[in-house]
Amino acid sequence: HSEGLIATGSNEGLIRIFTPSGGDPIHTLTGHSNAVCCMVSGRMGTLMSGSWDSTAIVWASFKQVLVLKGHTAAIWDVAILPERGYQITASADRTIRIWHAGDLLRTLTGHADCVRSLAVLSSDEFLSASNDG
């Protein structure tokens, strides 16, 4: 869309896609079974969402492409390292997971409480923030 798109996550587990001009959603994405609490846009129209249902979903052309399962608690943030093709998830289970094409590559541990936020610094670096002070 030339004017861009707006994606919203909901407590019902839905992602609604709107145009900036408003009105009803032009797409509703279903796949999560609990609140969608984080999203990030990727290249070429992809979207990645994380949920309290402990999953992350990668969407392309408004359809599920990958479902990332393995966390044991809510996913609080998601990030993409597009140059490497990595998806990153941060969870209340105190871990960060690095994925590639739906496969778990690595689980990072070390936080003593919920991992709340991720920030991408470069093509191969990111930061994490946690409740562990």
Side-chain angles (χ1 to χ4, degrees):
H1 283 59
S2 60
E3 60 188 63
L5 296 172
I6 299 168
T8 64
S10 74
N11 282 334
E12 301 91 23
L14 302 175
I15 298 170
R16 293 181 179 91
I17 310 295
F18 298 87
T19 61
S21 57
D24 292 330
I26 60 170
H27 294 283
T28 300
L29 311 181
T30 60
H32 288 294
S33 62
N34 208 328
V36 176
C37 57
C38 56
M39 290 185 283
V40 66
S41 61
R43 290 186 175 166
M44 303 206 293
T46 60
L47 179 72
M48 184 175 170
S49 58
S51 171
W52 291 0
D53 67 8
S54 306
T55 69
I57 299 177
V58 178
W59 310 83
S61 301
F62 310 109
K63 294 181 176 34
Q64 287 186 29
V65 177
L66 300 170
V67 178
L68 308 177
K69 295 181 179 181
H71 283 289
T72 58
I75 293 177
W76 284 108
D77 204 5
V78 293
I80 297 172
L81 296 178
E83 292 84 3
R84 299 218 181 249
Y86 292 166
Q87 302 86 36
I88 305 169
T89 53
S91 174
D93 68 9
R94 302 179 308 220
T95 68
I96 297 167
R97 293 181 183 229
I98 302 173
W99 312 79
H100 183 268
D103 295 323
L104 178 63
L105 297 180
R106 187 167 181 198
T107 300
L108 304 175
T109 59
H111 282 295
D113 205 340
C114 301
V115 186
R116 295 280 186 173
S117 182
L118 299 168
V120 175
L121 297 177
S122 68
S123 63
D124 58 359
E125 296 178 306
F126 65 91
L127 302 173
S128 65
S130 172
N131 286 358
D132 55 12

